[in-house]
Amino acid sequence: MPVAFEAGDSVLVTLQRAGLHPNHGGCLCAAGDCPHCLATVNGVAYVRTCQTLAQPGMIVESFPTDDYPHLPPNTQRGPTVSARNLHCDVVVIGMGEAGQAAAAAATAAGKSVITLDDKAGQEVVGIYPELMVVARTDTGMLHIHAHDEVVVATGAAEIQPVAPGNHLRGIVTPRAATHLAAKGVALGRVVVVESGGAVNLSTSPALNIVAHRKGQVLQFEGLDTLKAVVIQDDNGLSQRIECDTAVVGLGFTPRDLLVRMAAGLKVRAVGDAAREADLPPCPNAGMVCSCSSVSAADLQRVWDQGFHEMELVKRATLAGTGPCQGVVCVPHMRSFLATRTAAADPSAMPDITRLSKVQAPFTARPVVRQLTLGEVAAGAHHHATPRTGLDAEHRRLGAVMDRIGGWWRPWHYGNPLAEYWAVREAVSIGDVSTLGKMIVSGPDTLAFLERLYPTKVSSIAAGRSRYVLILDERGYVMDDGLICKDSDTRYTLTFTSGGSSHAEMWLRDWAEGWNMDVRILNQTMSLGAINVTGPLATQLLQRAGLTQPYKFMQHGHASIANVPCRVYRLSFTGEVSYELHHPVDQSAKLWRTLMTLGADLGIRPHGLQTLLQLRLEKGHVIVGQDTDFDSTPRRIGMEWALRMDKVDFLGKPAIERTNKTVLDKQLVGFEMSAPATFEGANIMYEGEYVGYVTSSTHSPLLGKVVMLGWLKLVNGALPSEVMIDGRLARRVDVPFYDKEGGRARA
Amino acid sequence: MPELKSLPFTRIVATPMALDATIWPAEALAFRAANDEVLLLASSLPTIADPHAIILPDSGFVGVWLSAEALQAIFEQHCEWALPATRPVFVQGAVAGIAAKLWLEAERGLLIVPAAYGHDFAERTGLA
């Protein structure tokens, strides 16, 4: 229904003036402290209507009576919220008298000060480590970074009554009564109850006060709306008074949520935010925490179960975990626990408020205000996934892109089978820019690499490369790659795409630890790399400017398509292959020229799907996919990559030790008929689990499924036939394709 | 809106002592990215007193010169750390969640990010 409002009216005032309640009831504070005026406003749930100015066309919905606010439909995308970062020495939150004084003092001391006040539309939602204050404003989020301190001057909240019927409409705090009356809200017959807190409503002459009593509210009567209040005076006499509104004064509790969430940070409270909390009477009945529907009976129940600490009672009942974050319930929980504790210890009676047994409130956590996901995400960014210099080229060619190995990479270009045959029968190019690429230079380079790698580095000639396993100090396979000798004091190292980010740290760590005189340059993102592979690869490169033949595992410099390249002759696909490492800003030029020059050779680009298929036919291991955290060279069948006669290398002592144990499992090859099983499929032998598949593909060339998988030894031997995916599979030696390696070395 | 463009850096990795002692060309911008590394924008190369220094052209970074006002707008929205007040100054840190290098002069500044993150950086900061 439409309701009228005046400029400056809050939504709460607007609704109250129209005789409406934003929610289903409960004591109103009109100060942003309690959860009782929360409503869904313009589709955003948990809006404090007392703190929200009414606007034309605003749609206000109360929550369902028996449910949480409805989530917006998932087709509805919320607005993007921006974040603004500000820096200062001191942040002052709350601009009442105490806040103004704190800000003035800091300014006078020469500090740069930022002040925040909810009345100015800056609603602080949390204080985070490194003194970051986050505030919500109409124009976005503020992330304010304080260098010195944060001063909390947020004042104190009024304590709300707990008694049977305190969920009814028509109960207000003294401040709320004053505010609503001043705004012209008709409160009807008003009963004032002072329950430990003085109530002075003399500034609100419009109020029709029918009774003003000191005592404790025993009950609020009514169905939905308050009809009467039952009060017990200090003499124990009770009285029932009919009314439309009950104004209950119970004293104040500091608004110190922001301080309580900032333990260890330079955050201090001033003014009423630093005051001692008043202690209301012990709640014996009624709703203590309306956010989480925790009654006084619930408190008694958890007390009886042995939960006697504030933090435990919070966790046991969830009191204090809802929208008001305990502002309403904490005073009553403290009173309840103090009273029960004192009752259990008669020496503590009769005045529990003087005792140290009144427990401190529980730790507060950000956020103290409900936020939209857009507000939470403001200023936050996803981890960015790097793109190669060919990213735009892949997308232009219609590649299906995916994040693999920490990069955006082409999975395929629409026809993976054609890509496969281009490699096996003609020529193809693939983007391998993501490989890790490092240069190590310095007088200690050889000594450093000898100690680092399990191969004999000194036997690598200049201009030659060698495949290497990379081990950690426990002898487990961590990565693999190439060592390429440039000169006696300079080597180029390559790593897998996924391992490259760790590789630089690994190199630097050991170089520093061993006090090696080396310089290390990570070129992973500076160089593009294109793999030219297939039986016609050499022919294509000759067209592009390759003048000298390269032997298998040889490397050198050449101008290819007028792009300066470092050329590496190797093979991952099983065919003749050249990796062309080049300046990343020339990747597209090199790629396009190769595609043009190879058009009549049947060139096609291949994506990662095809590359994985090709390498599996060759039985090449992918570290991280085929290996596990405990994969030793022996277990993956690659002891040939170790030179155990070296004096030392990283992981050698561990290898020597583990080699003395009985081999328990091994990474081996399997074949079976189509279709290919999924990677991760169980391997069974005589009904028992004996391993799992790590890589699986159907080989178009071989006409069968080829796999790698971990296989346990049974009675000291590897089973030769197993069941995979319910089908018979044979264990076979790898590689599956071109066992002599003649094609790659051609 | 200015666009990120490839920067013709020379990347120099050498001993800290050698880098400390290097006299950089007058017109050069030499950014000390690490104790042992300099990113150099210059038309000529200085002599580095380290025979094992790695000195290579490097096109792995993109950057854009922006006015102080434009930089301030980006920093307010995307930079959670405080920039130093001194100018000129070279600083490094996350901007829009991406590792960036900043060369700040009195009236303008150069924003530098790895080319591999250029797309995301431009998208996030509106430099696209």
Side-chain angles (χ1 to χ4, degrees):
Chain A
M1 61 177 280
V3 292
F5 68 95
E6 295 171 9
D9 281 350
S10 67
V11 173
L12 174 66
V13 164
T14 302
L15 295 173
Q16 287 275 284
R17 198 186 287 121
L20 301 169
H21 193 288
N23 216 317
H24 306 292
C27 178
L28 293 172
C29 71
D33 295 312
C34 76
H36 301 127
C37 74
L38 295 176
T40 298
V41 177
N42 289 340
V44 178
Y46 296 110
V47 172
R48 282 168 163 77
T49 57
C50 68
Q51 304 292 294
T52 306
L53 283 178
Q55 304 283 351
M58 198 175 247
I59 297 173
V60 181
E61 303 163 86
S62 59
F63 298 160
T65 52
D66 56 353
D67 202 356
Y68 296 106
H70 295 308
L71 289 170
N74 59 12
T75 53
Q76 180 185 326
R77 182 174 175 157
T80 300
V81 180
S82 66
R84 194 173 162 217
N85 289 280
L86 301 172
H87 300 267
C88 64
D89 295 324
V90 177
V91 174
V92 179
I93 304 168
M95 286 308 285
E97 283 182 22
Q100 288 181 38
T107 303
K111 306 288 187 186
S112 60
V113 179
I114 290 178
T115 61
L116 297 168
D117 191 33
D118 54 7
K119 293 181 183 61
Q122 299 143 339
E123 201 174 17
V124 175
V125 300
I127 300 175
Y128 292 82
E130 299 183 14
L131 276 188
M132 183 173 79
V133 178
V134 176
R136 170 168 53 195
T137 74
D138 288 342
T139 54
M141 303 300 285
L142 294 178
H143 293 184
I144 304 172
H145 308 268
H147 302 151
D148 286 359
E149 69 167 345
V150 175
V151 179
V152 175
T154 43
E158 292 172 292
I159 297 172
Q160 301 207 349
V162 173
N166 63 343
H167 62 283
L168 297 173
R169 303 176 183 194
I171 307 167
V172 295
T173 65
R175 280 181 188 161
T178 304
H179 176 71
L180 295 173
K183 285 288 187 178
V185 175
L187 297 178
R189 297 164 297 164
V190 174
V191 169
V192 177
V193 186
E194 292 187 18
S195 284
V199 180
N200 180 3
L201 297 179
S202 61
T203 56
S204 305
L207 288 175
N208 174 22
I209 299 175
V210 296
H212 190 135
R213 301 283 188 275
K214 290 188 177 179
Q216 189 172 349
V217 176
L218 292 182
Q219 182 155 9
F220 298 100
E221 291 184 359
L223 195 56
D224 295 320
T225 306
L226 184 68
K227 298 295 182 194
V229 60
V230 180
I231 306 162
Q232 184 179 55
D233 65 20
D234 294 342
N235 297 319
L237 299 173
S238 58
Q239 182 182 9
R240 180 181 183 278
I241 307 172
E242 292 191 353
C243 61
D244 302 303
T245 300
V247 180
V248 186
L250 285 155
F252 295 89
T253 186
R255 291 192 186 108
D256 57 1
L257 278 169
L258 294 171
V259 181
R260 287 194 276 123
M261 70 176 60
L265 301 179
K266 292 184 72 174
V267 177
R268 65 185 170 96
V270 297
D272 276 350
R275 63 166 282 161
E276 282 291 318
D278 294 325
L279 207 62
C282 175
N284 294 315
M287 191 60 72
V288 175
C289 169
S290 58
C291 300
S292 300
S293 296
V294 179
S295 66
D298 292 324
L299 292 186
Q300 184 62 48
R301 180 174 49 80
V302 299
W303 171 271
D304 293 340
Q305 290 172 345
F307 297 98
H308 296 175
E309 304 291 331
M310 281 291 285
E311 297 285 357
L312 298 180
V313 172
K314 171 189 174 183
R315 284 157 180 76
T317 62
L318 297 185
T321 62
C324 85
Q325 289 289 286
V327 172
V328 170
C329 65
V330 160
H332 299 284
M333 292 167 69
R334 297 180 74 207
S335 177
F336 174 86
L337 291 174
T339 305
R340 291 293 181 273
T341 304
D345 176 9
S347 66
M349 300 295 279
D351 188 354
I352 60 169
T353 61
R354 292 181 186 170
L355 300 176
S356 59
K357 294 183 187 299
V358 180
Q359 296 180 29
F362 46 70
T363 303
R365 314 278 181 199
V367 292
V368 299
R369 288 286 186 267
Q370 287 63 55
L371 301 176
T372 65
L373 288 177
E375 289 167 337
V376 172
H381 295 284
H382 288 292
H383 174 72
T385 303
R387 297 162 192 253
T388 74
L390 291 165
D391 186 83
E393 198 67 15
H394 300 318
R395 294 173 197 269
R396 189 181 66 79
L397 291 169
V400 172
M401 303 294 289
D402 206 345
R403 298 179 184 91
I404 305 163
W407 290 74
W408 278 109
R409 302 177 76 178
W411 184 238
H412 63 73
Y413 298 85
N415 190 342
L417 190 59
E419 294 167 28
Y420 170 89
W421 286 115
V423 176
R424 286 282 179 249
E425 296 186 335
V427 63
S428 175
I429 55 176
D431 183 1
V432 291
S433 305
T434 57
L435 291 170
K437 313 170 204 76
M438 313 272 174
I439 294 176
V440 182
S441 171
D444 290 344
T445 300
L446 179 59
F448 176 50
L449 299 182
E450 285 288 19
R451 215 165 152 182
L452 207 56
Y453 285 99
T455 191
K456 194 166 185 181
V457 182
S458 62
S459 66
I460 303 173
R464 304 292 297 181
S465 309
R466 182 175 297 164
Y467 172 83
V468 283
L469 284 179
I470 298 169
L471 309 177
D472 64 17
E473 53 269 53
R474 298 175 303 163
Y476 296 134
V477 176
M478 193 178 78
D479 203 354
D480 65 356
L482 292 182
I483 299 181
C484 312
K485 182 172 179 178
D486 303 325
S487 70
D488 287 344
T489 56
R490 182 178 293 203
Y491 288 76
T492 298
L493 313 176
T494 69
F495 301 84
T496 61
S497 304
S500 64
S501 58
H502 177 253
E504 183 180 0
M505 290 185 286
W506 181 73
L507 286 173
R508 289 186 182 279
D509 192 31
W510 287 113
E512 190 175 323
W514 292 333
N515 198 26
M516 292 289 181
D517 187 4
V518 294
R519 298 96 181 98
I520 297 167
L521 174 62
N522 184 352
Q523 289 195 295
T524 302
M525 290 192 176
S526 302
L527 296 178
I530 295 174
N531 183 29
V532 184
T533 182
L536 304 181
T538 305
Q539 189 178 340
L540 172 62
L541 290 181
Q542 285 171 339
R543 291 182 182 183
L546 187 71
T547 54
Q548 65 172 81
Y550 277 70
K551 294 178 182 171
F552 187 62
M553 300 306 278
Q554 186 185 359
H555 63 88
H557 293 274
S559 175
I560 307 292
N562 292 321
V563 173
C565 292
R566 183 83 181 267
V567 181
Y568 297 83
R569 172 81 193 274
L570 38 72
S571 183
F572 192 50
T573 63
E575 306 296 340
V576 171
S577 301
Y578 299 82
E579 273 183 19
L580 308 177
H581 293 202
H582 57 274
V584 69
D585 63 341
Q586 299 192 53
S587 288
K589 174 187 170 185
L590 180 57
W591 178 275
R592 289 183 182 185
T593 305
L594 291 172
M595 287 293 288
T596 302
L597 293 173
D600 64 318
L601 300 178
I603 193 170
R604 272 180 177 272
H606 64 269
L608 203 57
Q609 178 179 341
T610 297
L611 185 64
L612 295 177
Q613 192 174 24
L614 295 160
R615 71 89 197 176
L616 183 52
E617 289 179 343
K618 282 298 293 178
H620 291 316
V621 167
I622 291 187
V623 175
Q625 176 172 331
D626 297 306
T627 63
D628 213 332
F629 65 93
D630 63 349
S631 297
T632 60
R634 183 168 63 141
R635 281 176 171 157
I636 63 171
M638 293 179 68
E639 284 180 290
W640 55 265
L642 309 181
R643 283 298 298 267
M644 295 302 289
D645 58 338
K646 277 177 65 172
V647 174
D648 195 15
F649 60 82
L650 195 66
K652 185 185 176 191
I655 297 271
E656 288 173 330
R657 195 167 57 247
T658 55
N659 278 354
K660 290 174 184 168
T661 63
V662 176
L663 185 64
D664 58 344
K665 61 181 178 181
Q666 206 158 20
L667 186 72
V668 295
F670 297 97
E671 291 178 349
M672 71 179 186
S673 56
T677 188
F678 63 96
E679 291 168 349
N682 286 349
I683 301 173
M684 309 298 287
Y685 176 69
E686 295 183 347
E688 297 289 324
Y689 170 87
V690 289
Y692 63 95
V693 173
T694 60
S695 294
S696 169
T697 191
H698 177 260
S699 167
L701 189 73
L702 303 173
K704 56 190 170 189
V705 174
V706 295
M707 295 167 281
L708 289 176
W710 283 102
L711 183 61
K712 289 182 186 174
L713 279 77
V714 179
N715 298 323
L718 292 167
S720 55
E721 289 188 339
V722 294
M723 299 297 285
I724 297 176
D725 208 12
R727 289 176 284 155
L728 185 67
R730 280 193 315 120
R731 179 173 61 81
V732 296
D733 291 337
V734 292
F736 305 96
Y737 168 71
D738 188 25
K739 290 186 184 295
E740 291 73 33
R743 294 183 68 87
R745 296 168 187 269
Chain B
M1 179 61 78
E3 287 181 13
L4 293 166
K5 290 198 168 70
S6 182
L7 295 170
F9 276 121
T10 298
R11 209 154 158 206
I12 303 169
V13 175
T15 62
M17 200 184 305
L19 293 177
D20 289 343
T22 302
I23 298 168
W24 305 103
E27 86 293 354
L29 288 176
F31 305 138
R32 191 72 173 263
N35 207 22
D36 62 350
E37 183 175 348
V38 164
L39 285 170
L40 182 68
L41 276 176
S43 53
S44 60
L45 289 178
T47 302
I48 308 291
D50 176 1
H52 299 286
I54 305 169
I55 305 171
L56 291 169
D58 195 309
S59 59
F61 293 92
V62 292
V64 60
W65 284 97
L66 293 172
S67 68
E69 294 74 26
L71 281 170
Q72 186 60 30
I74 287 177
F75 293 154
E76 270 199 8
Q77 204 172 343
H78 299 290
C79 187
E80 294 212 334
W81 43 283
L83 297 171
T86 53
R87 298 288 186 277
V89 66
F90 176 70
V91 288
Q92 304 179 92
V95 178
I98 289 169
K101 303 175 191 298
L102 314 170
W103 169 248
L104 302 172
E105 298 176 353
E107 302 296 330
R108 64 174 191 160
L110 177 61
L111 257 172
I112 306 161
V113 292
Y117 291 108
H119 178 94
D120 287 271
F121 188 78
E123 202 171 67
R124 293 174 182 191
T125 57
L127 289 168

